[in-house]
Amino acid sequence: MSDVSAASGLRVAIMTDETGWHTGRLKKAFRARGVDARCVDLAACRIDTSWSPFGLAIPGFARDLPDAVFVRGIAGGTFEQVTLRLGILHALRECGVPVYNDARAIERSVDKSMTSFLLHRAGVPTPPAWATESAAFAQRVLMREAAAARRVVIKPLFGSQGKGLRRLGANASNGALTPLPPLRSYREVAYLQRFVGSARARPGAYDWRVLVIGSRAVAAMRRTGGRGWIHNVARGARCEPAELDPALASLAERATAALGLDYAGVDLIPDLSMPGETGAPLVLEVNGVAAWRGLQSVTTVDIAAALVDDLLDRKLAASRTSTLLQPAVPLHGR
């Protein structure tokens, strides 16, 4: 056990806009390590340059800062509100506080177009994707894919739990082309991803969720059922245990590394484009603020404890080692 894990008096902020099952599990895991963990809403934090010595005010920590931050949730809001909340996380990192996952990594993972770009750049197998503000270009993509007997999925650039997904292309029953919806429904941005699967939904169709913690895949599940071709647990999919074979684990770990995440829920799907073939897995999305209640129900791994251990024993320990090796820099005004 590292010096960090043996130390007492550590204080951690769990950044979340709501408390419940996940925060309860995290607080219990932190208590087991002798760490005081407090839930803090990013909306209640502020940048305040009159608030010495850091210019950053975190509720519950007076004029001090937490020893580490675990990002469990960031509430939606206006562009300005979300920018400020992410700015708080950036500021904490600038002050030397380890943030798990930090703002840079979260920004990459919540933007589906950037996720696709980084996965492609890293050579991680993922469906072709297009992101554009041009409805004309998006329509050309749709027509080209339809001409090749392929379909595409339009998704909100920012979104989760399967909300706003629409499958476009030739209808399997009558051949009619599903048109591109007005982009105003997608905040004037078309993010298109090639649909992976057969033209018709197959009985027993599924995808995988793999949880990666500290560069290592630790648990996996299959999600089956749900509403039509979308296998999100929030939309009624069933969670089943899945073998974490080396190929699946390696692909999830590579996807997590491509986005620079400390931990991630990686969604993968078997390529069923060829009839009768199971296909190799492809990475669909990488979630930087991943929920794990469904996965916890089908694995013996204590996920909250594994997350807390990685934060304390790797992320915080590395931060403290780096600080000790750096020359002291006096704070402005001292």
Side-chain angles (χ1 to χ4, degrees), residues 5-77:
S5 62
S8 61
L10 290 177
R11 298 190 302 164
V12 171
I14 301 173
M15 295 299 187
T16 180
D17 59 310
E18 60 182 17
T19 57
W21 185 89
H22 289 88
T23 54
R25 300 280 294 201
L26 286 170
K27 291 179 77 172
K28 179 181 177 181
F30 277 118
R31 280 198 304 271
R33 296 292 301 270
V35 175
D36 177 18
R38 306 177 183 184
C39 292
V40 178
D41 191 342
L42 276 167
C45 301
R46 69 181 189 273
I47 291 174
D48 184 345
T49 56
S50 71
W51 194 257
S52 62
F54 299 104
L56 190 59
I58 309 298
F61 292 87
R63 292 182 180 269
D64 204 354
L65 296 178
D67 294 291
V69 166
F70 187 105
V71 181
R72 171 62 215 126
I74 302 175

Side-chain angles (χ1 to χ4, degrees), residues 26 44 46 51 64 68 85-86 88 98 131 186 189 213 260 287 292 295:
L26 286 170
R46 69 181 189 273
W51 194 257
D64 204 354
R85 291 164 193 169
L86 289 169
I88 297 293
Y186 294 86
V189 170
I213 300 176
N287 301 276
W292 67 87
L295 180 57

Side-chain angles (χ1 to χ4, degrees), residues 81-319:
Q81 286 175 312
V82 174
T83 297
L84 177 57
R85 291 164 193 169
L86 289 169
I88 297 293
L89 298 180
H90 281 297
L92 284 161
R93 187 194 72 242
E94 293 297 322
C95 290
V97 177
V99 180
Y100 188 95
N101 287 304
D102 75 18
R104 294 169 299 179
I106 290 173
E107 287 165 351
R108 297 182 192 116
S109 66
V110 299
D111 177 351
K112 292 184 179 66
S113 65
M114 183 53 62
T115 296
S116 290
F117 170 77
L118 292 172
L119 292 175
H120 173 74
R121 190 167 181 264
V124 177
T126 187
W130 303 263
T132 179
E133 294 184 47
S134 168
F137 177 81
Q139 183 65 39
R140 288 198 298 272
V141 170
L142 176 58
M143 298 296 291
R144 186 174 68 234
E145 291 292 292
R150 293 190 291 257
R151 305 185 77 178
V152 298
V153 179
I154 186 169
K155 304 180 180 182
L157 195 63
F158 307 117
S160 61
Q161 300 183 336
K163 297 175 181 177
L165 274 60
R166 294 182 65 179
R167 190 167 51 178
L168 310 176
N171 188 288
S173 60
N174 58 22
L177 185 67
T178 305
L180 183 78
L183 293 190
R184 63 176 176 272
S185 303
Y186 294 86
R187 295 182 178 267
E188 304 301 337
V189 170
Y191 169 79
L192 304 172
Q193 188 178 57
R194 183 175 291 167
F195 175 67
V196 180
S198 58
R200 296 179 182 272
R202 295 184 177 185
Y206 65 90
D207 65 9
W208 293 282
R209 162 62 65 90
V210 177
L211 184 67
V212 177
I213 300 176
S215 78
R216 185 174 67 88
V218 299
M221 68 176 176
R222 296 202 323 174
R223 297 180 296 195
T224 62
R227 299 179 191 172
W229 50 276
I230 303 174
H231 303 302
N232 290 83
V233 174
R235 297 173 68 89
R238 298 184 304 275
C239 302
E240 302 174 350
E243 178 187 358
L244 192 53
D245 64 63
L248 198 63
S250 175
L251 194 54
E253 290 164 359
R254 288 170 57 198
T256 302
L259 273 67
L261 291 157
D262 293 306
Y263 78 99
V266 183
D267 295 337
L268 307 98
I269 192 166
D271 187 352
L272 302 177
S273 57
M274 299 300 292
E277 295 186 8
T278 56
L282 301 174
V283 175
L284 284 180
E285 295 184 7
V286 184
N287 301 276
V289 187
W292 67 87
R293 190 167 187 171
L295 180 57
Q296 186 65 81
S297 71
V298 297
T299 182
T300 59
V301 176
D302 187 335
I303 294 173
L307 290 164
V308 166
D309 288 347
D310 186 55
L311 169 55
L312 298 178
D313 298 338
R314 180 187 61 83
K315 183 94 172 184
L316 180 56
S319 174

